């Protein structure tokens, strides 16, 4: 199962574990990347969490305090950014008034969606205004929150609020349009959006296990476990499914990872002391993640 770690405000717009061990020997989804004379830090975020994630390890918070800037996917503490996301989310994630999701989805997929809505006491037809891609993302968001994890405890939001309080400059690694286009399906053919909805519904029974495993992996800094949590799926993929999954991964992760790695390279070249927080999948995913890309470029990379 691929859990898309999407924009917080986009998720909220659409829908309207374990104790933390701060032992200094504990590894985290946290890396120091260095060239000959400068370093940046990269922390993998989970956008939905709970109070058990805090307080964060001193090694992480010390690195943040001693950095000059905070780097994030998008500065969600900026009201103008939030407004732009909401406007673009409506344009990209919602169907025209003349269309309806229940008219787009194949009968078996619509039946599965209706069954899940009834199980979760969501009125039938709630998702009709959404494109298949956006509806699937929203279902994942609802499922995560049903497990007790909420956006107000998200790791990225924690550091954004801390940076604002400290007056620390915040730099966005992506533009609003880049992220919303990637995550809300701009240009995605119906076949791909429907496949994403079908696979989300099909793998929903595994979601609790996947979320539990992912949160444990974050708290223990276990990269292999985090990848396993992302890859849980209920059915083997056929050739067509594999192609569609590859296309989704390219849009949501791989192409964005390359851009993030290039940005980090620029920070190092300019000797900028930046503490970067991005979705953990960008740092720990199996295909061309940011950490591997930076290591391949010859930088020194240490998991902390």
């Amino acid at each position: 199962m691929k859990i898309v770690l999407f924009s917080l405000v986009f998720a909220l717009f659409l829908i309207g574990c374990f104790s933390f061990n701060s032992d200094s020997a504990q590894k985290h989804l946290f890396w120091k990347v260095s060239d000959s004379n400068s370093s940046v830090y990269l922390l993998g975020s989970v956008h939905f969490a709970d109070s058990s994630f805090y307080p964060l390890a001193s090694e992480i918070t010390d690195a943040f305090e001693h950095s000059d800037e905070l780097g994030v996917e998008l500065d969600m503490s900026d009201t103008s950014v939030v407004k732009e996301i909401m406007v673009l989310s409506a344009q990209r994630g919602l169907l025209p008034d003349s269309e309806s999701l229940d008219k787009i989805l194949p009968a078996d997929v619509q039946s599965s969606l209706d069954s899940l809505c009834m199980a979760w006491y969501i009125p039938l037809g709630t998702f009709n205004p959404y494109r298949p891609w956006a509806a699937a993302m929203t279902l994942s968001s609802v499922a995560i929150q049903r497990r007790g994890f909420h956006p107000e405890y998200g790791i990225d939001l924690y550091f954004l609020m801390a940076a604002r309080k400290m007056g620390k400059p915040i730099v966005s690694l992506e533009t609003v349009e880049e992220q919303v286009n990637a995550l809300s399906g701009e240009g995605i053919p119906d076949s791909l959006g429907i496949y994403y909805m079908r696979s989300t519904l099909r793998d929903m029974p595994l979601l609790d296990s996947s979320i539990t495993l992912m949160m444990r992996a974050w708290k223990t800094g276990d990269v292999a476990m985090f990848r396993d949590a992302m890859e849980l799926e209920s059915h083997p993929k056929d050739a067509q499914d594999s192609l569609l999954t590859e296309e989704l991964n390219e849009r949501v992760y791989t192409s964005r990872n390359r851009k993030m790695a290039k940005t980090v390279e620029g920070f190092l070249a300019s000797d900028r002391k930046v503490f970067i927080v991005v979705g953990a999948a960008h740092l720990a995913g199996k295909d061309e993640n940011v950490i591997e890309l930076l290591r391949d470029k010859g930088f020194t990379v240490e998991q902390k």
Side-chain angles (χ1 to χ4, degrees):
M1 169 175 286
K2 287 284 184 181
I3 298 179
V4 178
L5 305 179
F6 46 86
S7 160
L8 171 60
V9 172
F10 178 56
L12 295 179
F13 171 82
L14 290 174
I15 63 172
C17 156
F18 300 83
S19 298
F20 188 76
N21 180 359
S22 59
D23 187 328
S24 61
Q26 173 70 55
K27 292 290 187 181
H28 313 284
L29 296 185
F30 180 51
W31 289 264
K32 180 180 181 181
V33 181
S34 307
D35 61 11
S36 60
N37 63 347
S38 60
S39 300
V40 300
Y41 289 93
L42 290 96
L43 175 65
S45 171
V46 285
H47 302 312
F48 293 74
D50 63 20
S51 61
S52 70
F53 281 68
Y54 301 94
L56 298 175
S58 59
E59 186 169 14
I60 295 173
T61 55
D62 287 349
F64 170 70
E65 290 172 6
H66 289 93
S67 296
D68 295 334
E69 303 171 82
L70 172 66
V72 290
E73 294 175 34
L74 287 174
D75 181 3
M76 310 303 255
S77 66
D78 184 332
T79 55
S80 66
V81 170
V82 173
K83 182 177 179 180
E84 186 178 356
I85 288 173
M86 294 182 73
V87 170
L88 284 178
S89 295
Q91 295 174 357
R92 306 291 197 259
L94 300 181
L95 291 165
D97 291 341
S98 60
E99 298 182 29
S100 179
L101 182 64
D102 60 355
K103 306 301 182 186
I104 295 174
L105 294 179
D108 62 323
V109 179
Q110 182 63 45
S111 177
S112 295
L113 175 59
D114 287 345
S115 295
L116 184 62
C117 286
M118 287 188 287
W120 287 357
Y121 301 101
I122 297 173
L124 298 182
T126 295
F127 294 97
N128 280 345
Y130 298 3
R131 294 185 184 279
W133 172 272
M137 288 176 60
T138 305
L139 285 173
S140 294
S141 173
V142 171
I144 291 168
Q145 293 188 73
R146 284 171 58 86
R147 286 280 289 111
F149 300 106
H150 300 284
E152 58 264 33
Y153 288 106
I155 303 302
D156 45 347
L157 188 60
Y158 171 88
F159 283 104
L160 279 168
M161 295 301 100
R164 287 285 177 184
K165 184 176 181 180
M166 296 169 63
K168 192 184 294 288
I170 299 170
V171 57
S172 294
L173 307 185
E174 299 177 299
T175 67
V176 170
E177 186 165 11
E178 286 172 340
Q179 186 172 102
V180 173
N181 282 352
L183 299 178
S184 65
E186 174 69 3
I188 287 183
D190 285 345
S191 59
L192 190 58
I194 291 170
Y195 165 71
Y196 182 56
M197 172 61 89
R198 186 190 297 277
S199 62
T200 297
L201 290 166
R202 181 189 63 193
D203 292 335
M204 194 59 71
L206 294 177
L207 191 64
D208 279 359
S209 296
S210 182
I211 293 169
T212 298
L213 197 62
M214 186 173 290
M215 298 308 180
R216 181 191 298 175
W218 193 93
K219 292 181 176 183
T220 59
D222 191 325
V223 173
M225 184 187 296
F226 192 90
R227 290 178 183 173
D228 288 344
M230 290 184 66
E231 297 300 321
L232 285 179
E233 54 189 34
S234 60
H235 295 80
K237 293 184 177 69
D238 60 22
Q240 181 64 20
D241 284 352
S242 295
L243 287 173
L244 291 169
T245 297
E246 184 177 342
E247 185 173 349
L248 283 172
N249 288 343
E250 174 66 25
R251 290 183 64 96
V252 177
Y253 296 113
T254 311
S255 63
R256 297 169 66 208
N257 291 351
R258 296 187 194 110
K259 184 176 183 295
M260 289 179 189
K262 187 174 181 179
T263 301
V264 173
E265 185 177 8
F267 290 154
L268 290 166
S270 302
D271 298 335
R272 292 169 65 177
K273 296 170 64 177
V274 187
F275 182 95
I276 299 169
V277 184
V278 297
H282 294 293
L283 307 182
K286 72 172 186 177
D287 297 318
E288 288 190 71
N289 66 57
V290 175
I291 296 302
E292 291 174 353
L293 290 168
L294 290 168
R295 188 176 283 119
D296 290 344
K297 290 174 180 288
F299 297 108
T300 300
V301 180
E302 307 168 74
Q303 186 177 3
K304 308 297 284 183

